[in-house]
Amino acid sequence: MFDFVSFFPRAVMQGIPLLLGATGETLTEKSGNLNLGIPGIMYVGGICGVIGAFFYEQSGNVNGILAVLIPLLCCMLGSLLMGLLYCFLTVTLRANQNVTGLAMATFGVGFGNFFGGSLIKLTGSDVPSIALSATSSYFRQSLPFAEKLGAFGKMFLSYGFLAYLAIVIALVSSYVLKRTRVGLQLRAVGESPATADAAGINITRYKFVATCVGSMIAGLGGLYYVMDYACGVWSNDAFGDRGWLAIALVIFTIWRPNVGILSSILFGGLYILYLFIPTGTNLAVKELYKMLPYLVTIVVLIVSSMRNKRENQPPESLGVPYFREER
Amino acid sequence: MENSTAVVKMRNITKRFGPVLANDRVWLDIYKGEILALLGENGSGKTTLMNMLSGIYFPDEGQIFINEEEAVIRSPKDAFRYGIGMIHQHFKLVDVLTAAENIVLGLKEPGRLDMDKVAEKVKRICDAYGFDVDPYQKIYNMSVSQKQTVEIVKVLYRGADILILDEPTAVLTPQETEKLFAVLRNMRDDGKAIVIITHKMHEVEELSDRVAILRHGQFVGDMLTKMTNAQEMTNMMVGRPVTLNIERPDPVNPKPRIEVEGLTVRDPEGTVKLDNVSFTACSGEILGIAGISGCGQKELLEAIAGLQPAEKGSIRYVTDDGVREELIGKDPLSIADMGVCLSFVPEDRLGMGLVGSMDLTDNMMLRSFRRGRSFFTDRKNPRVLAEKVVKDLEVNTPGVSTPVRRLSGGNVQKVLVGREISSAPSVLLTAYAVRGLDINSSYTIYDLINQQKKSGVAVIFVGEDLDVLLELCDRILVLCGGKVSGIVEGRGASKPEVGMMMTRLGGKTNG
């Protein structure tokens, strides 16, 4: 029998890293930067948080607030640096965005595995992973009365604070994009930088800020994965292809962070559906189920390009560097 | 203009793009309450000069004074602060946003963004000057003239006193142009300073109070419009006397070349673009096609060239021996092999026909690369052709290996038209061949077309300037909403008559 009450929270927990990654990437893409480095940035965000938490735990007495704040700040600093690097290369030096992004994706994964491996060496443990259970327990802290509320509590109140933060970030991003002056100008920068420039908008600043903020949000996705979803256990390559799925989710949500909230849960659900559908011992069928999120993305791409509504298209100058005096 | 004060003084302005000197020590004054026409050939630096006023470029040397104070304009934002607003040739609007959103773009007004308030203010400006804009309409749903109106409202919303318009009429119909001119005169009387860049001499004479002329980036002089005439202005622009007559030799031995019968074309959305169109184009003759924009000219040419599927009707190509061949159903390549050539100059020039990042030689090769026999492409002939086009049409380029994208708009167009004409066609289809070209290059193009006509080519010429159509064409087919409104003889046809036929089927005289 399909157990929805236990399926749903797991889908949400799968979905939150995707939601953070997608929200970050949406903000970035709205500024006209196609940051394919998101998978790498989420990796860096995760490992930086782990490094911070590791040394704080090593230092002895663990204070709840600091145990959350230190990994959080480390994670955001790490992903901010990645965002700055991307901006410096693509905006200041006008390097090709695809190449830069792919290079950073590779670099980020390598960076994570390198420092992850080093930390594992430091702990000298037998298993190839680091467990930060003390820090994780603070990240996973849910409301005390959640357990008493039965199915409702389990489905909606059982998550750590980062999950709710992710939803708030998505809602705020949507509001900013749609309703505020800053959002309007950001959209204009991504659609037609020449127009925005002629209207007196500082293109470079908007691209830098949007990309860096986007990177930091995406980095949180990596942190959530390690600290909450994986219970504070870092092992190399465990994050997998979630970063790429986050980029697919941006297309799936047609560049709308608020749509991303439900879509990420859907994607998360599709991602783990194979665990909940009895397939017996036939492993091949399981592998087929794992394809679902990608199949759905392809279908959505086909449908959205068939409907061909202008509002649903990617920002027009996505991936194109801007230089004012170009003829 | 003795009583007015110069609001803008540009002194010794110099701007270089790499080795190209775009503006060379230019002096220019702009006065309050007058319309100044800025004239010059393509690539003479008019747009560059104005871009420095509006903050898109920064001058390498020189000073700009606004209201007697030295101004440093480093960005469009600075320009707004000085009350300068520019309406660019290629509209600077974001397609997926509404008119109102585009208008407030980049403005720092206090408080939250309230679109309804913005819409109200937009309405107020529209009422004051007689515009018609729906603030909530998306830009991509608008016609060219609506977009232009949004651009003008945009600069007025910012409180601009100095308006610069870069070729505002290039894409407008005669009626829309009239409306625009009325608005501009309104604004002039309101005390605003207006600069207009245009190539159409009759517009200069009709609208402007003063003209200033640039040649090869240098300022050659200015004068009151009423003290001068088209001939003198053109001579100053070119730097030597030019004749301003379009010759129209009588067709020699015209024989039917293309016979179109009952042609009906629908666009992908199912709207009828051409409805039961029939006509014959003869060899050695120029058949002009007149009509307000979007009433089927493009579809007609594309249908003949095989780019547009026809729903009904027939298009027959008649060879010299009188053999008729049906063109519908043939692919564009084999139609082109029969000598039917299409040179279509779209609104954005580079959109169709040329590849921006390739150089002149490579663009010439786009027509000929299939012809070579060996495995390797032949680059020698295209280079010779490119050099010939550059020389014949006076294309302003550092060399034939410059990417087309780097050339100024008019020069890009010369390359395109030059290539099409050079392929020695038997039928030449050309649309908007002189769109955005300066007067001298336009006449070069007319000459080229006339040469083709004399050598027995059937020319179908789609134009937007009625005066030119009336002077150049032997016969004029007038389209109105996809239907043939009538065919008139070019000799003796009058402008009002054709104008009537463009807007009403059959016109008044049913000619």
Side-chain angles (χ1 to χ4, degrees):
Chain A
M1 192 52 224
F2 192 80
D3 182 4
F4 189 74
V5 176
S6 63
F7 170 74
F8 184 77
R10 296 206 49 184
V12 172
M13 290 175 73
Q14 274 295 346
I16 294 299
L18 303 182
L19 174 60
L20 285 163
T23 308
E25 177 69 4
T26 304
L27 288 180
T28 308
E29 288 195 12
K30 281 288 178 188
S31 78
N33 276 350
L34 177 63
N35 189 356
L36 292 178
I38 285 290
I41 291 171
M42 294 175 83
Y43 247 93
V44 170
I47 192 67
C48 286
V50 167
I51 293 173
F54 179 78
F55 286 109
Y56 184 62
E57 277 195 18
Q58 296 271 305
S59 72
N61 47 350
V62 174
N63 168 307
I65 294 173
L66 280 180
V68 169
L69 270 185
I70 288 178
L72 206 59
L73 287 178
C74 288
C75 155
M76 288 173 73
L77 183 71
S79 35
L80 172 68
L81 287 176
M82 289 290 277
L84 278 175
L85 177 65
Y86 178 85
C87 283
F88 176 70
L89 288 171
T90 61
V91 180
T92 312
L93 303 180
R94 291 195 290 277
N96 183 303
Q97 295 189 6
N98 295 333
V99 177
T100 311
L102 290 173
M104 287 189 49
T106 318
F107 168 76
V109 174
F111 181 92
N113 286 346
F114 176 76
F115 285 98
S118 311
L119 288 185
I120 293 165
K121 275 269 161 58
L122 278 181
T123 54
S125 73
D126 301 333
V127 279
S129 60
I130 322 157
L132 300 162
S133 38
T135 312
S136 171
S137 66
Y138 291 111
F139 271 91
R140 290 169 62 82
Q141 189 73 50
S142 60
L143 293 174
F145 52 84
E147 305 234 325
K148 295 180 204 134
L149 292 173
F152 176 82
K154 195 170 178 206
M155 280 171 72
F156 297 106
L157 298 173
S158 63
Y159 313 106
F161 75 96
L162 269 179
Y164 300 104
L165 185 65
I167 290 169
V168 172
I169 289 175
L171 290 175
V172 169
S173 303
S174 262
Y175 179 82
V176 168
L177 279 177
K178 221 171 162 187
R179 297 254 172 257
T180 65
R181 222 172 274 282
V182 173
L184 176 65
Q185 292 171 4
L186 179 62
R187 278 188 287 154
V189 169
E191 289 291 337
S192 165
T195 304
D197 196 11
I201 296 169
N202 187 336
I203 306 294
T204 310
R205 190 200 298 160
Y206 267 85
K207 284 194 173 226
F208 260 86
V209 171
T211 307
C212 290
V213 169
S215 294
M216 290 190 326
I217 294 174
L220 288 180
L223 187 69
Y224 175 88
Y225 173 79
V226 188
M227 293 303 174
D228 198 329
Y229 180 82
C231 306
V233 178
W234 172 276
S235 46
N236 283 351
D237 285 326
F239 187 67
D241 53 3
R242 288 181 176 81
W244 297 110
L245 215 51
I247 293 177
L249 192 63
V250 174
I251 300 165
F252 184 87
T253 60
I254 44 178
W255 291 267
R256 282 178 200 150
N258 53 356
V259 178
I261 298 171
L262 289 180
S263 320
S264 65
I265 296 172
L266 174 69
F267 262 53
L270 292 171
Y271 205 81
I272 53 159
L273 191 62
Y274 70 95
L275 294 173
F276 284 80
I277 287 178
T279 50
T281 51
N282 194 343
L283 286 174
V285 179
K286 259 193 182 16
E287 294 300 317
L288 285 178
Y289 276 116
K290 286 186 189 172
M291 282 166 41
L292 277 175
Y294 309 97
L295 280 179
V296 170
T297 306
I298 292 173
V299 169
V300 167
L301 268 180
I302 293 169
V303 170
S304 69
S305 65
M306 261 180 357
R307 281 185 53 216
N308 210 9
K309 215 175 142 210
R310 283 299 294 271
E311 283 86 353
N312 294 346
Q313 299 303 311
E316 199 160 325
S317 74
L318 185 61
V320 184
Y322 177 66
F323 176 46
R324 184 187 286 169
E325 303 205 357
E326 177 97 55
R327 303 246 271 184
Chain B
M1 295 301 125
E2 303 85 51
N3 302 330
S4 22
T5 42
V7 279
V8 177
K9 285 183 182 162
M10 300 180 89
R11 294 287 177 263
N12 270 325
I13 299 291
T14 300
K15 177 76 188 168
R16 289 182 195 87
F17 290 107
V20 184
L21 196 57
N23 282 133
D24 185 9
R25 286 162 295 163
V26 176
W27 285 55
L28 185 71
D29 289 344
I30 301 170
Y31 294 94
K32 242 177 118 112
E34 75 161 11
I35 298 178
L36 171 72
L38 191 56
L39 296 180
E41 288 185 281
N42 294 120
S44 62
K46 306 172 299 272
T47 307
T48 309
L49 186 66
M50 288 301 112
N51 273 339
M52 283 188 275
L53 258 191
S54 63
I56 302 282
Y57 299 152
F58 190 74
D60 294 339
E61 283 164 37
Q63 291 164 297
I64 299 172
F65 297 91
I66 290 168
N67 294 322
E68 305 295 330
E69 257 176 70
E70 179 161 6
V72 180
I73 306 173
R74 291 197 170 274
S75 70
K77 221 186 206 157
D78 293 343
F80 292 139
R81 236 189 15 249
Y82 289 112
I84 301 169
M86 180 155 173
I87 290 120
H88 296 267
Q89 193 178 358
H90 304 290
F91 300 135
K92 306 245 176 196
L93 294 172
V94 181
D95 274 353
V96 295
L97 301 184
T98 64
E101 283 173 330
N102 266 290
I103 287 167
V104 289
L105 198 62
L107 281 182
K108 278 210 182 68
E109 287 170 324
R112 301 187 44 242
L113 183 64
D114 182 354
M115 284 332 282
D116 292 333
K117 233 194 227 152
V118 174
E120 217 173 276
K121 194 169 164 196
V122 169
K123 276 255 179 286
R124 240 180 297 139
I125 294 173
C126 291
D127 293 343
Y129 291 103
F131 295 116
D132 184 22
V133 172
D134 172 8
Y136 296 107
Q137 198 179 358
K138 293 261 162 122
I139 299 296
Y140 62 82
N141 282 331
M142 289 187 176
S143 72
V144 221
S145 103
Q146 279 174 308
K147 286 182 195 171
Q148 189 176 52
T149 316
V150 174
E151 283 276 26
I152 298 175
V153 174
K154 189 164 121 187
V155 296
L156 291 177
Y157 190 93
R158 277 145 224 260
D161 297 317
I162 303 158
L163 269 89
I164 305 163
L165 295 100
D166 191 356
E167 291 189 39
T169 59
V171 288
L172 299 186
T173 64
Q175 288 85 346
E176 288 166 341
T177 306
E178 266 316 305
K179 240 166 89 185
L180 173 70
F181 284 1
V183 169
L184 291 182
R185 287 193 194 101
N186 257 342
M187 293 198 279
R188 173 189 60 192
D189 299 340
D190 204 32
K192 298 197 184 306
I194 294 167
V195 182
I196 165 169
I197 299 176
T198 179
H199 291 305
K200 298 181 185 165
M201 282 300 164
H202 61 267
E203 288 179 359
V204 175
E205 291 177 321
E206 191 188 327
L207 181 72
S208 69
D209 300 306
R210 200 162 59 92
V211 289
I213 295 168
L214 292 182
R215 189 201 311 148
H216 303 311
Q218 286 171 324
F219 178 72
V220 280
D222 64 340
M223 52 222 168
L224 294 183
T225 311
K226 53 179 182 258
M227 312 281 281
T228 182
N229 55 43
Q231 185 67 54
E232 190 189 359
M233 289 188 274
T234 314
N235 291 353
M236 280 178 78
M237 270 164 56
V238 184
R240 59 184 152 76
V242 250
T243 44
L244 278 190
N245 293 318
I246 304 178
E247 74 176 313
R248 176 160 51 190
D250 283 324
V252 182
N253 188 19
K255 272 189 292 192
R257 184 50 57 82
I258 292 274
E259 290 177 353
V260 175
E261 235 181 80
L263 183 65
T264 302
V265 169
R266 274 177 204 277
D267 69 2
E269 273 94 60
T271 335
V272 177
K273 282 297 189 180
L274 285 176
D275 189 4
N276 201 12
V277 170
S278 305
F279 66 91
T280 307
C282 302
S283 61
E285 172 196 78
I286 299 179
L287 176 70
I289 295 185
I292 48 179
S293 63
C295 63
Q297 302 99 316
K298 182 176 169 225
E299 285 75 11
L300 178 59
L301 294 199
E302 287 188 347
I304 298 176
L307 299 171
Q308 181 85 247
E311 190 177 85
K312 265 202 313 240
S314 76
I315 303 170
R316 283 185 300 271
Y317 176 82
V318 189
T319 58
D320 286 336
D321 336 322
V323 184
R324 285 175 165 70
E325 257 186 275
E326 181 63 49
L327 290 186
I328 287 178
K330 277 199 160 67
D331 63 299
L333 208 57
S334 50
I335 293 179
D337 280 344
M338 292 164 74
V340 180
C341 273
L342 172 68
S343 89
F344 184 85
V345 180
E347 276 165 39
D348 61 350
R349 285 188 186 127
L350 278 177
M352 232 169 163
L354 293 177
V355 181
S357 53
M358 293 190 347
D359 68 16
L360 267 66
T361 309
D362 287 348
N363 269 298
M364 295 294 156
M365 276 172 70
L366 290 181
R367 267 269 176 255
S368 64
F369 71 96
R370 282 194 198 82
R371 231 165 276 152
R373 291 199 200 304
S374 86
F375 176 73
F376 299 101
T377 49
D378 169 20
R379 288 184 59 89
K380 210 163 123 209
N381 289 330
R383 193 166 62 239
V384 172
L385 176 59
E387 276 158 4
K388 186 173 173 297
V389 168
V390 168
K391 198 166 133 271
D392 291 354
L393 297 184
E394 294 166 15
V395 179
N396 190 355
T397 164
V400 290
S401 49
T402 311
V404 169
R405 176 168 52 87
R406 295 252 181 88
L407 304 182
S408 85
N411 285 312
V412 168
Q413 205 161 327
K414 288 186 196 170
V415 174
L416 174 62
V417 177
R419 182 188 73 194
E420 294 308 319
I421 290 179
S422 71
S423 55
S426 61
V427 178
L428 178 65
L429 310 168
T430 157
Y432 313 116
V434 298
R435 181 178 260 169
L437 281 192
D438 63 61
I439 185 151
N440 197 33
S441 322
S442 303
Y443 279 79
T444 319
I445 302 261
Y446 300 145
D447 273 349
L448 282 171
I449 291 173
N450 264 327
Q451 276 170 30
Q452 295 294 310
K453 165 184 170 181
K454 277 188 243 170
S455 63
V457 172
V459 181
I460 299 182
F461 180 91
V462 176
E464 44 195 351
D465 193 336
L466 260 187
D467 297 285
V468 172
L469 278 172
L470 290 171
E471 272 184 78
L472 178 71
C473 301
D474 299 297
R475 288 185 303 146
I476 300 170
L477 170 81
V478 188
L479 285 176
C480 175
K483 293 194 173 94
V484 177
S485 187
I487 298 180
V488 293
E489 281 295 318
R491 293 169 187 77
S494 77
K495 197 175 165 187
E497 178 196 357
V498 177
M500 277 313 266
M501 289 167 68
M502 278 163 66
T503 47
R504 206 176 309 152
L505 215 53
K508 213 168 29 183
T509 52
N510 221 14

Coordinates of all heavy atoms in Angstrom, one line a residue, chain A residues 177-203:
Chain A
L177 N 10.6 39.9 -7.6 CA 10.7 39.9 -9.0 C 9.5 40.5 -9.7 O 9.6 41.2 -10.7 CB 10.9 38.4 -9.6 CG 12.2 37.8 -9.5 CD1 12.2 36.4 -10.0 CD2 13.2 38.6 -10.4
K178 N 8.3 40.2 -9.1 CA 7.1 40.6 -9.7 C 6.6 42.0 -9.3 O 6.1 42.7 -10.2 CB 6.0 39.6 -9.3 CG 5.2 39.3 -10.6 CD 4.2 38.2 -10.4 CE 3.2 38.4 -11.5 NZ 2.1 37.5 -11.4
R179 N 6.8 42.4 -8.1 CA 6.1 43.6 -7.6 C 7.0 44.8 -7.3 O 6.5 45.9 -7.1 CB 5.4 43.2 -6.3 CG 4.3 42.2 -6.5 CD 2.9 42.8 -6.5 NE 2.0 41.8 -6.9 CZ 1.4 41.8 -8.1 NH1 1.7 42.7 -9.0 NH2 0.5 40.9 -8.4
T180 N 8.3 44.6 -7.3 CA 9.1 45.7 -6.8 C 9.9 46.3 -8.0 O 10.1 45.7 -9.0 CB 10.1 45.3 -5.7 OG1 11.1 44.4 -6.3 CG2 9.5 44.7 -4.6
R181 N 10.4 47.5 -7.7 CA 11.2 48.3 -8.7 C 12.5 47.5 -9.0 O 12.9 47.4 -10.2 CB 11.6 49.6 -8.1 CG 11.5 50.8 -9.0 CD 11.7 52.0 -8.2 NE 10.4 52.5 -7.6 CZ 9.5 53.2 -8.3 NH1 9.7 53.4 -9.6 NH2 8.4 53.6 -7.8
V182 N 13.1 47.0 -7.9 CA 14.4 46.2 -8.1 C 14.1 45.0 -9.0 O 14.9 44.7 -10.0 CB 14.9 45.7 -6.8 CG1 16.1 44.8 -7.0 CG2 15.3 46.9 -5.9
G183 N 13.0 44.3 -8.8 CA 12.7 43.1 -9.6 C 12.4 43.5 -11.1 O 12.9 42.8 -12.0
L184 N 11.7 44.6 -11.3 CA 11.4 45.0 -12.6 C 12.7 45.3 -13.4 O 12.9 44.9 -14.5 CB 10.5 46.3 -12.5 CG 10.2 47.0 -13.9 CD1 9.3 46.1 -14.7 CD2 9.5 48.3 -13.6
Q185 N 13.6 46.0 -12.6 CA 14.8 46.3 -13.3 C 15.7 45.1 -13.5 O 16.4 45.0 -14.6 CB 15.5 47.4 -12.5 CG 14.7 48.7 -12.5 CD 15.2 49.8 -11.6 OE1 16.1 49.6 -10.9 NE2 14.4 50.9 -11.6
L186 N 15.7 44.2 -12.6 CA 16.5 43.0 -12.8 C 16.0 42.2 -14.0 O 16.7 41.7 -14.8 CB 16.3 42.1 -11.5 CG 17.1 40.7 -11.6 CD1 18.6 41.0 -11.7 CD2 16.8 39.9 -10.4
R187 N 14.6 42.1 -14.1 CA 14.1 41.4 -15.3 C 14.5 42.1 -16.6 O 14.8 41.5 -17.6 CB 12.5 41.4 -15.2 CG 12.0 40.3 -14.3 CD 10.5 40.2 -14.4 NE 9.9 41.3 -13.7 CZ 8.7 41.7 -14.0 NH1 8.0 41.2 -15.0 NH2 8.1 42.7 -13.4
A188 N 14.5 43.5 -16.6 CA 14.9 44.2 -17.8 C 16.3 43.9 -18.1 O 16.7 43.8 -19.3 CB 14.7 45.7 -17.5
V189 N 17.2 43.8 -17.1 CA 18.6 43.5 -17.3 C 18.8 42.2 -18.1 O 19.5 42.0 -19.0 CB 19.4 43.5 -16.0 CG1 20.8 43.0 -16.2 CG2 19.5 44.9 -15.5
G190 N 18.0 41.2 -17.6 CA 18.1 39.9 -18.2 C 17.5 39.8 -19.6 O 17.9 39.1 -20.5
E191 N 16.4 40.6 -19.8 CA 15.7 40.6 -21.1 C 16.5 41.3 -22.2 O 16.8 40.8 -23.3 CB 14.4 41.2 -21.0 CG 13.3 40.4 -20.2 CD 12.9 39.1 -21.0 OE1 13.1 39.1 -22.2 OE2 12.5 38.2 -20.3
S192 N 16.9 42.5 -21.8 CA 17.6 43.4 -22.8 C 18.5 44.4 -22.1 O 18.1 45.4 -21.7 CB 16.5 44.1 -23.6 OG 17.0 45.2 -24.3
P193 N 19.7 44.0 -21.9 CA 20.6 44.8 -21.1 C 20.8 46.2 -21.8 O 21.0 47.2 -21.1 CB 21.9 44.0 -21.1 CG 21.8 42.9 -21.9 CD 20.3 42.7 -22.3
A194 N 20.8 46.2 -23.1 CA 21.0 47.5 -23.8 C 19.9 48.5 -23.4 O 20.1 49.6 -23.2 CB 21.0 47.3 -25.3
T195 N 18.7 48.0 -23.3 CA 17.5 48.8 -23.0 C 17.7 49.3 -21.5 O 17.5 50.4 -21.2 CB 16.2 48.0 -23.1 OG1 16.1 47.5 -24.4 CG2 15.0 48.8 -22.7
A196 N 18.0 48.3 -20.6 CA 18.1 48.6 -19.2 C 19.2 49.7 -19.1 O 19.1 50.6 -18.3 CB 18.4 47.4 -18.4
D197 N 20.3 49.5 -19.8 CA 21.4 50.4 -19.7 C 21.0 51.8 -20.1 O 21.3 52.8 -19.5 CB 22.6 49.9 -20.6 CG 23.9 50.6 -20.3 OD1 23.9 51.3 -19.2 OD2 24.9 50.4 -21.0
A198 N 20.3 51.9 -21.3 CA 19.8 53.2 -21.8 C 18.9 53.8 -20.8 O 18.7 55.0 -20.8 CB 19.1 53.0 -23.1
A199 N 18.2 53.0 -19.9 CA 17.3 53.5 -18.9 C 18.0 53.9 -17.7 O 17.4 54.3 -16.7 CB 16.2 52.5 -18.6
G200 N 19.3 53.8 -17.7 CA 20.1 54.3 -16.5 C 20.3 53.2 -15.4 O 20.6 53.6 -14.3
I201 N 20.1 52.0 -15.8 CA 20.3 50.9 -14.8 C 21.8 50.4 -14.8 O 22.3 50.2 -15.9 CB 19.3 49.7 -15.0 CG1 17.9 50.2 -14.9 CG2 19.6 48.6 -14.1 CD1 16.9 49.2 -15.3
N202 N 22.4 50.2 -13.7 CA 23.7 49.8 -13.6 C 23.8 48.3 -13.9 O 23.5 47.5 -13.0 CB 24.4 50.1 -12.3 CG 25.8 49.8 -12.2 OD1 26.3 49.0 -13.0 ND2 26.5 50.5 -11.4
I203 N 24.1 47.9 -15.1 CA 24.0 46.5 -15.5 C 25.0 45.6 -14.7 O 24.6 44.6 -14.1 CB 24.4 46.3 -17.0 CG1 23.5 47.2 -17.9 CG2 24.2 44.9 -17.4 CD1 22.1 46.9 -17.9

